[in-house]
Amino acid sequence: MAFPRYLVSFDSRRLLHQFTDVLVIGAGIAGLRAALEVPEDLAVLVVTKDRVTESNSSYAQGGIAGVMSPEDRFENHVEDTLVAGAGLCDRGVVDLVVREAPNEIEKLVSWGTQFDLENGTLALTREGGHSHRRIVHALGDATGHEMMRAVITRAKAAPNVLIWDDSFTVDLLTDAGACVGAIVWRPGVGKVLVWAKQVILASGGCGMVYRETTNPPVATGDGMAAAYRAGAELRDMEFMQFHPTVLYVAGSSRSLISEAVRGEGAYLRDIHGERFMLKDDPRAELAPRDIVSRAIFRTMERTLHPNVYLDLSHLDPVLVRNRFPGINRVCRQFSLDITKDRIPVRPGAHYMMGGVTIDSAGKTTVPNLWAAGEVSSSGLHGANRLASNSLIEGLVFGALCGRGAADSARKMPDLLRVPRLSHKVIIEDPAGFIDLADVTNSLRALMVRKMGIVRDRGRLDEAAHDVGFWCRYVLAREFDDRVGWELQNLLTVSRLMIDAATRRDESRGTHYRSDFPKHNDTVWGQRHVVSPGLEVLG
Ligand SMILES: Cc1cc2nc3c(=O)[nH]c(=O)nc-3n(C[C@H](O)[C@H](O)[C@H](O)COP(=O)(O)OP(=O)(O)OC[C@H]3O[C@@H](n4cnc5c(N)ncnc54)[C@H](O)[C@@H]3O)c2cc1C
């Protein structure tokens, strides 16, 4: 099917304009780190579609990985990352991120992030797939909240950084194939054309394509879909990481129960109380996420029970309460005492490894467009992300993009004229009504059933058929609010994910095909599934 180039009609002669040197789309860790790297003589505009505190980054719990202890070495962190990535990591990128990690963590400390300390030095914990203790954390299990508090304060104080919150980026503007800015919808104003010398996409992931997800509602893949419409290459869209342990209590908002809980010794048990991970993997509860998620999926099928349980009752209750105050608080709302009661959990979509292809400097395939963080595919994670490697990716690539975009912007003349750009959405049946909430719920349920933890050709074909059908009439519309644009983006991203999952007829990392349960290195070795950018379709 043909995807539209733009979701909305516009004419550059008729709309309000805003000019900046660097436009940053997204105010999570990648976006704000990028903004803070741009020297003060250049103007930066950061746009975010919600409050500045609403991002995946703010909800991060476990922490940030980096080699910070004398017992650990860069080579160990590189090796652990490569093992998790199942042959699809870019070794040069892994090496770059791992070596930059300690500097970025120290920078966060210098900006006022209060990481947890032990005997006066940074307290380090260990998570699944890590061979050493190397995860720094804050406020026990509220690392993202504390880190973002410090970074937001810093960005708000920066004289050259302007933040527009509640401002939805609908599309990237391109002229002669190069990115020149974005169409941004602002409350009380409507569509504004933002013209920028360089644009950094840092709009995060797309967990909301699934009914069960750890991600907050902002994670609807807008940046991935907008980049695709603008002609950027995306890759690895079949690789969605499911977090094995998401709180499964009716009425709870599917809170994540951090990996660090298992790192501190919690057990996974089935409905009958059996520790099923012992049979599945020698690393038991500390096996990589995809292995734990699939073991839970199989256990739920075997026991005909919709969840399994986390058990912390054998651990020191004081340690448990101090180390996991957030999880303790959430569980108490549902009368669960985490030091005694078993916590019901099941897997939920957590982290998208794929995204907009970038090189080792953060450049996308569209001139003047950069990308950092979860929206991008840098080559760090390969087919599976090692726990706590994503905040550090956002920091390292945010800084690289900020520096690179600033250098490029400095070489360009100030924008005094805007190109004449326009687009008209042609609607065949403008009077027809679509229940957007119904389509959104149907899509998210379908993705769990047919494009979830275990996939096969039959289910993928059914998913492609249904999503293709919904795309035909939802993408042919023009909406004037966030709900409609988000659904259009969710559908676009789902299409790309299903297509990539269908094409990869093997199992690797988080992508498991029950009809092709093994790796196929002969065909798929180092190969990525690439979703090439669209030609402009008008
Ligand atoms: C519950 C949870 C726990 C996690 N724990 C950890 C952890 O312990 N360690 C770790 O390394 N990783 C963790 N992760 C993953 C990590 O948080 C994310 O991968 C990372 O924060 C992504 O950062 P980002 O800057 O790329 O995107 P985000 O932080 O998601 O920021 C995206 C920004 O883009 C904005 N945006 C999106 N679309 C638009 C649009 N159309 N217009 C304007 N703005 C837009 C959003 O509003 C937001 O400001 C966790 C994730 C979750 C959900």
Side-chain angles (χ1 to χ4, degrees), residues 25-31 47-52 54-65 127 143 167-170 202-205 214-216 218 220 222-223 256 350-351 372-375 385 387-392 394 489:
I25 299 169
I29 193 61
V47 294
T48 173
K49 70 177 175 182
D50 211 292
R51 283 169 302 146
V52 71
E54 268 311 292
S55 63
N56 275 10
S57 302
S58 291
Y59 289 91
Q61 295 184 349
I64 310 176
E127 293 184 339
T143 309
S167 300
F168 192 100
T169 301
V170 184
S203 49
T214 62
N215 291 192
V218 291
T220 50
D222 302 339
L256 177 155
H350 187 51
Y351 182 84
E374 196 167 338
V375 69
R385 176 191 71 131
S388 287
N389 258 2
S390 44
L391 292 175
I392 200 62
N489 291 330

Side-chain angles (χ1 to χ4, degrees), residues 272-417:
H272 309 298
E274 192 191 331
R275 261 186 85 191
F276 54 90
M277 281 312 301
L278 289 173
K279 284 195 301 238
D280 251 86
D281 193 284
R283 291 161 290 187
E285 280 84 358
L286 288 178
R289 287 181 174 165
D290 58 320
I291 293 177
V292 179
S293 290
R294 276 199 299 279
I296 295 176
F297 180 83
R298 281 195 300 273
T299 303
M300 294 187 321
E301 285 203 325
R302 177 174 53 79
T303 57
L304 299 175
H305 194 67
N307 58 275
V308 295
Y309 296 87
L310 265 174
D311 179 8
L312 291 78
S313 59
H314 55 289
L315 301 177
D316 173 8
V318 179
L319 176 140
V320 167
R321 281 199 201 95
N322 288 344
R323 183 71 183 82
F324 305 112
I327 294 168
N328 188 29
R329 205 165 34 248
V330 171
C331 287
R332 283 184 78 86
Q333 285 174 36
F334 302 99
S335 302
L336 288 171
D337 178 344
I338 62 170
T339 66
K340 291 196 198 110
D341 299 320
R342 291 182 183 172
I343 311 170
V345 290
R346 63 176 277 156
H350 187 51
Y351 182 84
M352 176 40 117
M353 266 76 66
V356 183
T357 308
I358 53 170
D359 65 14
S360 57
K363 281 187 187 153
T364 72
T365 55
V366 172
N368 305 343
L369 179 65
W370 308 69
E374 196 167 338
V375 69
S376 69
S377 166
S378 68
L380 173 68
H381 307 300
N384 197 2
R385 176 191 71 131
L386 186 66
S388 287
N389 258 2
S390 44
L391 292 175
I392 200 62
E393 181 194 38
L395 286 160
V396 172
F397 273 95
L400 283 169
C401 286
R403 224 171 295 146
D407 289 347
S408 300
R410 209 182 281 290
K411 291 183 196 131
M412 296 169 79
D414 278 333
L415 301 163
L416 296 172
R417 295 151 56 104

